[in-house]
Amino acid sequence: MEQAATAAGLQTGLKVKKKKNQYRKYSPLLIMMVPGLLYLLFNNYLPMMGIAIAFKKVNFAKGFLKSEWIGFDNFEYLFKTSDAFIITRNTILYNVFFIALGTILALACAILLNEIKNKMLSKFYQSVITLPHLISMVIVSYLVFALMSAETGFMNKTVLPWFGIEEGISWYSEEKYWPVILTVVHFWKGVGYSSIVFFAALLGIDEEYYEAAKLDGASRLQQIRHITLPILSPVIIMLTLLSVGRIFYSDFGLFYQVPMNAGALFNTTATIDTYVFRGLMGSGDIGMSTAAGVYQSIVGFLLVMFANFMVRLYNKENALF
Amino acid sequence: MKNESRGLTWFSHIMMILFSAACIIPFILLITASLTDQNEIIASGYSFFPKTFSTAAYTYLLERGSDIARAYGITIFVTIVGTFIGVSIMVLLAYPLSRSVTPHRNLIMFIVFFTLLFHGGLVPSYLVYTQLFHIKNSIWALIVPGLLMNGFYVMLMRTFFQTTIPPALIESAQLDGAGEYRTLWTVVLPLSTPILATIGLFESIMYWNDWQLGMIYITDPKYFSIQNLLNRIMQDIQFININMSSNASNAMEQMPSDSVKMAMAVIGVLPILLAYPFFQKYFIKGIMIGAVKG
């Protein structure tokens, strides 16, 4: 009995010692991680706690620690205005549309790219269609301006006169055109990029499937329909679910830079991100914008969890966690 | 059957040529617009085939070039320093996470991963950086917030280390007496150039293109990056006059303002367009790596 107890005691003692040794032995590995972890602490985790300021009356003069608590007032004000509805509607509608049509376009583009057997031309197309992804939104806003400017734009001065419309349209003050313009710009910038993602998956398909189908007399279109698409479907479903998880976030640059932050377009161009930004930069209400940010963080988090849950149901291996 | 397949190939080529053209044409408009005479722009707008060619916009910018040169300097500095620091701290975090012997490895992995799921949002980060670190109107404001490190890249790197560096190699280096840092530097890093180059490239592009940090944290034009300068010019073309010329009212008349706008954008985008052929291969490879789960 006693012996067993001392043996057990000895063993735990050994374990503790072993653990200590392990810390000492691997301390260089632990020290290595310090800069990165400190950065995450300040850049990511501290702001997470900063969410508390949504429940305060923000006062820059007093500093946020000393600002007074006001409970859910900020949220109440936010959801009483029509802004909350507009920004939520815009963010979700744009995203749903971008995901649906974007997937189809990117997939079509990847399949076409895969049909091109000339290696050099294929590489050339690939690099040209991904070029827009490389350009900053500020430059994109200049490109759009060159096309859309009321006084000097290519649309008003050249394209519309072809159709006999001489007076031109002041694009930057008419909200009804922007859903179309923003969609076109979004796809111009992003379809090449996402088609490469699908193309990468296509490259992984074994040629033998196609050879076998060819022997059976399947046409190229039938091969695409019965081999390519089914093999790609897990990738498609996974990417779609992941973007559904990000449906509460928008491409800030697209919605802020491209319409040039024009107030007249708010109804069709404002998203949660631009709303939060405007609040912070002083052209909106800081309390409400903080509340909108928290609303985005929390709903966004729940959506990511939900999307991941769905991926897990569908295919455990592809789940993020 | 043969015909059908050939038809599809032709169709693919045509579609890709159209798409490629759509990607390039706006840039051509940008360049021709910047080379068009101001009076012609006023009369008939920006066009692809200007009748009166003029380099006035570029001479104008050249005369007032010190702000542009400065902004370029800021952008280049931020890109180099930001990428270097960013990649370094990401390697230092990802490497221990790839080793099975590291204590608390799973916990730390979760700490990294969680940052991808949940964000504090813009306003809290702004408060942390301005009230705690007083970063406003300093060069660090363009480097540190948000961009320095990305949990997703850390995970990509970790996966790369885990899958391509044989643990036996690390063990043998350490049996030969190399410490952890020496192992990382002389054994692991030389084998990891593909992932380092890819992530370094993406980080540099991110820094080169960033305008958001400047808009949030910089009010002093002294620290404007090229993107911020462009942004400011678009918001207010007169900014050039106020800041670049001593005699503002006079300059407004002389300035070919519509082509200057476009010329500025050309100056902003040209380095990327010129460098692109040299790194497009890695860029596309990077997109493909990112597509495969990290």
Side-chain angles (χ1 to χ4, degrees), chain A residues 14-46:
Chain A
L14 269 175
K15 245 185 199 163
V16 169
K17 213 172 172 190
K18 202 175 165 200
K19 216 164 190 184
K20 254 191 186 159
N21 273 339
Q22 210 173 25
Y23 276 123
R24 189 169 309 145
K25 188 170 172 204
Y26 296 113
S27 63
L29 287 175
L30 290 170
I31 291 166
M32 246 182 228
M33 295 191 282
V34 169
L37 290 176
L38 274 181
Y39 181 73
L40 289 182
L41 173 67
F42 290 120
N43 187 67
N44 299 74
Y45 284 92
L46 226 69

Side-chain angles (χ1 to χ4, degrees), chain A residues 43-90:
Chain A
N43 187 67
N44 299 74
Y45 284 92
L46 226 69
M48 283 182 204
M49 286 166 228
I51 277 182
I53 58 170
F55 303 96
K56 287 188 163 199
K57 193 171 168 57
V58 182
N59 184 335
F60 282 107
K62 281 188 196 168
F64 65 102
L65 282 179
K66 288 190 193 119
S67 299
E68 55 182 305
W69 293 97
I70 49 166
F72 282 90
D73 282 8
N74 283 330
F75 292 92
E76 228 182 291
Y77 294 136
L78 172 67
F79 288 107
K80 265 187 194 156
T81 62
S82 57
D83 294 354
F85 171 72
I86 292 176
I87 59 178
T88 310
R89 176 200 66 192
N90 287 353

Side-chain angles (χ1 to χ4, degrees), chain A residues 1-15:
Chain A
M1 232 356 220
E2 218 172 76
Q3 243 175 352
T6 44
L10 209 69
Q11 221 160 36
T12 46
L14 269 175
K15 245 185 199 163

Side-chain angles (χ1 to χ4, degrees), chain A residues 210-231:
Chain A
Y210 294 113
E211 300 292 332
K214 229 188 252 172
L215 283 181
D216 290 344
S219 72
R220 195 63 194 151
L221 284 176
Q222 280 173 324
Q223 291 171 28
I224 291 172
R225 163 88 182 71
H226 295 287
I227 300 174
T228 314
L229 287 179
I231 290 184

Side-chain angles (χ1 to χ4, degrees), chain B residues 193-207:
Chain B
T193 42
I195 193 80
L196 296 183
T198 307
I199 289 175
L201 176 67
F202 276 78
E203 279 263 299
S204 330
I205 295 171
M206 221 160 57
Y207 275 112

